[in-house]
Every structure is written in C-alpha cells, then in structure tokens.
Amino acid sequence: MVEARVQEPPHPVPAGAPHAVVQLPAGLRTDRPLDLVVFLHGWSGCARVLVRSGSVACARGRPPRTGWGLAEHHAAAQTPTVLIVPQLAFLQRTGDPGGFREPNAFRSFLEELLRGPLAAPLGGPRSVDDVGSVTLVAHSAGYETAGALIRAGGVDVDHVVLLDALYDDGARFGRWLLAGADRRLVSLVTSRGEPRRHTRALEAFIRARAGQAAVATVSAEELAPTIASHRMTTAESPHPHGEAPRRHLTAVLDALFPAIR
C-alpha cells in the first residue's frame, strides 16, 4: 500500500493525510502496460478509510472510523490492476471535482504519481504513456468528478463504472461511450432514488443511437458475464447505497479484466 502526496492535488487535505492511496496487486508485471482503476468517492470521503480495513484515522488527531476495505475487494478480483483512490473533497458533503475540473489536471496527477511515489514499487519511474487502460469507478457523488475526467482529464478512459452514482444528465457519459467502440459503461442502481431514473434515461439514449443490443439490463448476479459483451450494462443492486462499492467492486473488475492465475 502506498500513501502518496503530490504537488498539485485536486483538493487540499490536512497535514498527515495522503492525496491518494494506491494498492498494487501481488504478481503485477511491471514490464507491461499498466491498467489503472481509479475510485472516485462521494460525500464525506476519506481515502484511507475507503481503502483500508479496521479502525482508521483519516489524519493525525482525527477520530478513527471503520474502514471500507476496498483494497481487500480489489485484491479478491485477482486482476492485474493498480487501484488508485484520490482524495477528493476531504470529509465534505460535496462532489465538487476541485482541481480535476481543469484541463489535463488528471493527466498531470497521474504523471506525478507514476514518476514519484509509485516509481519504486513499479521498478522505476513510469508515465501516462505506460498506461494501457484507465477505469473510473464512481460511487455516489463521485460521478461529478468522473464526468469532469472524461471531459477534460487529458487521459483516454476505457471503462466507467457508476455505483449508484448518476444523479443528473447522463448524456455526457453516453456521448463518451459512443465515441469509442471498445469502451464499456456499467451502472448499478438501488431500488430507489435519482440514479435509477437517470440510468433508465441513459439506457434509452444509448439504445436510440447504438441499437437495442448495445445495452443489457440484468440482475446483479448476471452482471459479471454480461459486461464484456455489451457496451452498457445496468443492474439493480439488492444492497443499500453505501454498500455498493464493497458488494460489487470485485465482480465488476473480474468481468472487465483477465485475472492473474
């Protein structure tokens, strides 16, 4: 696990808190292109708490919280992917993308991580040119940052996963999806709320432009085998909103990437 600080973070954080927490999988081939999975949290997020398990303090002097354990769920997929959790608005009730709204800011953020804090575990400095794919996984209000990154991040995004995370006009994600034949969009929704309604509208948007077969609407159990064969896959999660990342991250990554065996 690497806790990194950078010169140009998307949001300010207090002293003693990282700008990003990164997990590299066991068995990662550092001589091959890197597949990055970038988790974008929603309101009141803390990167340490999201990634780690047990009792976790977001920064020095802060009371501990119960960790979400995303590192464990990422590792369970056994995929050759690097999990990056940027610290967005630190413990604030906002989905504001902050500095990630600026053109090419995401690219600069990744470059700094790859050339600096991640250089040692990757066997030397790397760059965005060494990246094979980028997957954005947004939970809740993290969709706002995902929208900013596909629009102006300066990095080609291959997959977008929305975990109960579409709270307004989904056409921006639809336009992104249709601009690349190999791109994949996954949207999981709970039984109530705005993400369900906006996801249904996005399904219609995609079907009207790419045909009925471009979208698959399945149960959560059928999600993994469906993702690879459809441009957009949607499913209803039987779990509460806050449980979506822990319940579905492993299955989604397993479907998007070949596992390390």
Side-chain angles (χ1 to χ4, degrees):
M1 197 88 66
V2 177
E3 292 194 349
R5 289 183 67 92
V6 297
Q7 292 298 313
E8 298 184 15
H11 289 269
V13 301
H19 293 130
V21 181
V22 183
Q23 182 198 35
L24 290 84
L28 178 68
R29 289 286 301 272
T30 57
D31 59 333
R32 295 179 178 178
L34 302 169
D35 294 301
L36 309 182
V37 174
V38 182
F39 184 88
L40 305 169
H41 65 75
W43 284 9
S44 304
C46 162
R48 274 184 180 151
V49 167
L50 291 165
V51 176
R52 297 184 180 276
S53 302
S55 182
V56 185
C58 292
R60 288 194 300 268
R62 300 272 179 163
R65 299 183 170 203
T66 302
W68 287 34
L70 293 187
E72 293 181 5
H73 299 290
H74 173 245
Q78 295 186 295
T79 54
T81 54
V82 177
L83 176 67
I84 300 175
V85 181
Q87 179 62 62
L88 303 179
F90 184 80
L91 298 179
Q92 296 180 42
R93 293 173 60 82
T94 177
D96 187 342
F100 277 157
R101 186 183 288 105
E102 300 301 319
N104 299 315
F106 181 48
R107 183 182 186 91
S108 298
F109 177 80
L110 293 179
E111 284 281 2
E112 190 172 354
L113 283 179
L114 293 168
R115 294 184 183 280
L118 298 183
L122 289 175
R126 307 292 291 274
S127 78
V128 172
D129 292 336
D130 299 314
V131 173
S133 70
V134 175
T135 298
L136 303 180
V137 181
H139 177 232
S140 194
Y143 82 99
E144 295 185 56
T145 299
L149 298 187
I150 63 173
R151 184 183 66 251
V155 176
D156 189 31
V157 174
D158 300 88
H159 314 124
V160 172
V161 180
L162 302 172
L163 300 178
D164 212 28
L166 191 58
Y167 282 85
D168 64 15
D169 177 24
R172 57 182 156 174
F173 293 104
R175 290 189 291 269
W176 162 83
L177 179 67
L178 296 174
D182 294 329
R183 292 174 176 175
R184 293 291 181 268
L185 174 64
V186 180
S187 183
L188 279 85
V189 299
T190 52
S191 59
R192 301 178 181 177
E194 290 296 293
R196 181 186 181 91
R197 180 169 68 86
H198 287 294
T199 293
R200 296 296 171 254
L202 180 54
E203 289 176 347
F205 180 95
I206 298 300
R207 287 187 169 116
R209 291 159 177 80
Q212 293 293 318
V215 180
T217 303
V218 298
S219 69
E221 291 74 19
E222 299 170 308
L223 185 66
T226 308
I227 289 174
S229 57
H230 293 79
R231 300 182 77 174
M232 178 179 182
T233 303
T234 67
E236 184 170 313
S237 172
H239 306 290
H241 174 79
E243 290 287 321
R246 287 176 283 191
R247 297 289 186 172
H248 299 292
L249 181 64
T250 300
V252 169
L253 294 183
D254 191 47
L256 289 173
F257 297 97
I260 298 172
R261 301 301 183 194

